[in-house]
Amino acid sequence: MKKSDVVKEILAGRRGSANPVGQAEAPANIALCKYWGKRNEELNLPITSSLSLTLDHVGARTEISQCSSGDQIFLSGERLDSDHPFANRLSRYLDLFRQGDEGYCVKTESSVPVAAGLASSASGFAATVKALDALYGWKLGSRELSILARLGSGSACRSLYSGFVEWHVGEREDGMDSYAEPLELQWPEIRLGWILVSTAHKPVGSREAMRRTRESSPLYQSWPAQVARDLAEIKAALSLRDFTRLGETVEANALAMHATMMAAQPAILYWLPDTVAVLHQVADARRQGVSVYATMDAGPNVKILYQARDQDRVVERFPQISFLCG
Ligand code: DP6
């Protein structure tokens, strides 16, 4: 099954009234239990479920209109060449929605550095699909938007909602049961901060890194079982408001994901010396009684998880912190 078949099925019978411009915003999200590995690369269908926390104040804003002379893609006010990786990826995604040979003018502002392992593609594709929905007046529901966003980037399916969000692995071949939904719980004291190590582009994109890990890492065999355990632990910790249980599982899950990549051939090592230094700082802080835990995505930057009541002590220990959530 192709992406275009999924789009056709979702848009069947949706004949909204097109508007001159569609505009939307979508937040970034950080996985607490990671998505790493696809069972279907065309549709971005995952091997496991995953769970994230939405960063309400960080994300992308996108404006889309139709234009006659091919696609024109602007990122933070700058027009990108059509062979720029971001423009190219977006144009291939937009191909799924063209009704004729029209082009699109897309203006995107992102408050996170693109391709630095900070979930920029998640908020970018979620904002794009919402802007298309507004442009064409389809009035799709969140589940359908989540599935369409997944076709752009897997983690984007979680950027349709606030709070804690679970992406269900699903089992259908067409992926119609692989979408995200918010958990019905709030924990407003949770904080996520970001320790910037580098904003350089990733040496290996997450798509290629996932493929290589799955195909060549002997440690990947144990990943699905680990995710099943971690997801259950994280959900239990969230419902009991047990921060230690949450933090320990979140950190272990991220480290295990990186371990699977490091064992791939050739190895994928996103960590830089400062990544390791921050991880030691986090462990030191815990030894001295500050309850803080680390997580990392496909890049060298470290996100730290803590509670509002520890804010001052965290800022004292990590003066370089930027706040992502809370
Ligand atoms: C490590 O969603 O960027 O951040 O589906 O290939 O676009 P594609 O991958 P992407 O991968 C995110 C991987 C991760 C973990 C996560 O967000 O769950």
Side-chain angles (χ1 to χ4, degrees):
M1 181 164 234
K2 294 218 193 68
K3 285 184 170 117
S4 52
D5 299 323
V6 175
V7 172
K8 213 182 279 171
E9 195 171 326
I10 288 184
L11 296 183
R14 301 264 172 181
R15 266 184 214 90
S17 52
N19 295 302
V21 183
Q23 195 180 311
E25 289 180 16
N29 73 77
I30 299 294
L32 303 180
C33 187
K34 308 292 182 188
Y35 147 55
W36 197 250
K38 306 178 199 221
R39 66 176 195 281
N40 178 325
E41 291 203 6
E42 164 75 10
L43 303 182
N44 290 331
L45 293 176
I47 292 201
T48 67
S49 293
S50 56
L51 192 150
S52 59
L53 177 57
T54 292
L55 311 178
D56 283 326
H57 307 295
V58 181
R61 163 195 281 269
T62 295
E63 197 184 283
I64 304 186
S65 53
Q66 293 184 349
C67 61
S68 46
S69 51
D71 290 343
Q72 299 177 22
I73 313 262
F74 296 82
L75 179 61
S76 302
E78 189 195 328
R79 167 116 190 237
L80 302 180
D81 288 339
S82 55
D83 56 357
H84 185 284
F86 177 88
N88 194 275
R89 191 172 173 195
L90 191 55
S91 281
R92 297 295 68 77
Y93 183 67
L94 292 169
D95 287 345
L96 298 169
F97 302 96
R98 286 182 222 278
Q99 296 175 342
D101 57 4
E102 77 274 27
Y104 292 103
C105 173
V106 183
K107 295 182 180 157
T108 292
E109 309 282 332
S110 174
S111 54
V112 282
V114 170
L118 273 167
S120 58
S121 67
S123 51
F125 280 102
T128 300
V129 80
K130 285 168 75 179
L132 285 166
D133 185 62
L135 177 72
Y136 288 118
W138 294 319
K139 299 197 169 33
L140 295 171
S142 302
R143 185 175 295 186
E144 294 156 313
L145 292 172
S146 177
I147 291 173
L148 293 180
R150 164 170 55 71
L151 300 178
S153 176
S155 53
C157 75
R158 301 185 307 235
S159 272
L160 273 308
Y161 314 92
S162 289
F164 298 97
V165 177
E166 181 173 2
W167 172 10
H168 304 291
V169 59
E171 51 187 34
R172 286 174 55 149
E173 262 182 47
D174 63 4
M176 291 301 180
D177 55 355
S178 184
Y179 52 82
E181 274 184 323
L183 299 189
E184 284 194 9
L185 70 93
Q186 324 263 303
W187 192 347
E189 293 79 20
I190 292 284
R191 298 284 181 272
L192 259 178
W194 166 39
I195 310 294
L196 178 67
V197 169
S198 165
T199 54
H201 273 248
K202 309 177 200 183
V204 189
S206 45
R207 188 177 187 79
E208 161 61 18
M210 282 186 208
R211 181 187 303 145
R212 198 189 298 171
T213 307
R214 208 188 145 198
E215 286 173 357
S216 70
S217 170
L219 300 190
Y220 192 73
Q221 285 169 17
S222 60
W223 175 249
Q226 162 130 20
V227 170
R229 282 192 303 272
D230 291 347
L231 195 60
E233 276 294 299
I234 289 172
K235 283 162 108 176
L238 289 175
S239 62
L240 296 168
R241 306 286 187 276
D242 183 339
F243 185 74
T244 305
R245 191 169 170 188
L246 176 70
E248 283 177 355
T249 314
V250 166
E251 189 170 300
N253 181 267
L255 292 176
M257 177 184 74
H258 280 271
T260 67
M261 310 182 204
M262 288 179 201
Q265 284 172 341
I268 299 153
L269 180 60
Y270 285 119
W271 297 10
L272 295 173
D274 283 347
T275 311
V276 180
V278 173
L279 291 177
H280 281 292
Q281 257 184 295
V282 169
D284 281 346
R286 275 204 302 272
R287 275 191 285 275
Q288 288 162 29
V290 186
S291 191
V292 42
Y293 294 89
T295 184
M296 279 155 295
D297 293 294
N301 300 303
V302 182
K303 292 108 195 181
I304 55 176
L305 188 71
Y306 58 98
Q307 294 171 96
R309 60 168 177 251
D310 291 320
Q311 177 97 354
D312 291 347
R313 295 203 295 165
V314 167
V315 173
E316 198 179 301
R317 287 183 164 269
F318 300 92
Q320 72 278 47
I321 194 170
S322 305
F323 302 108
L324 289 175
C325 165

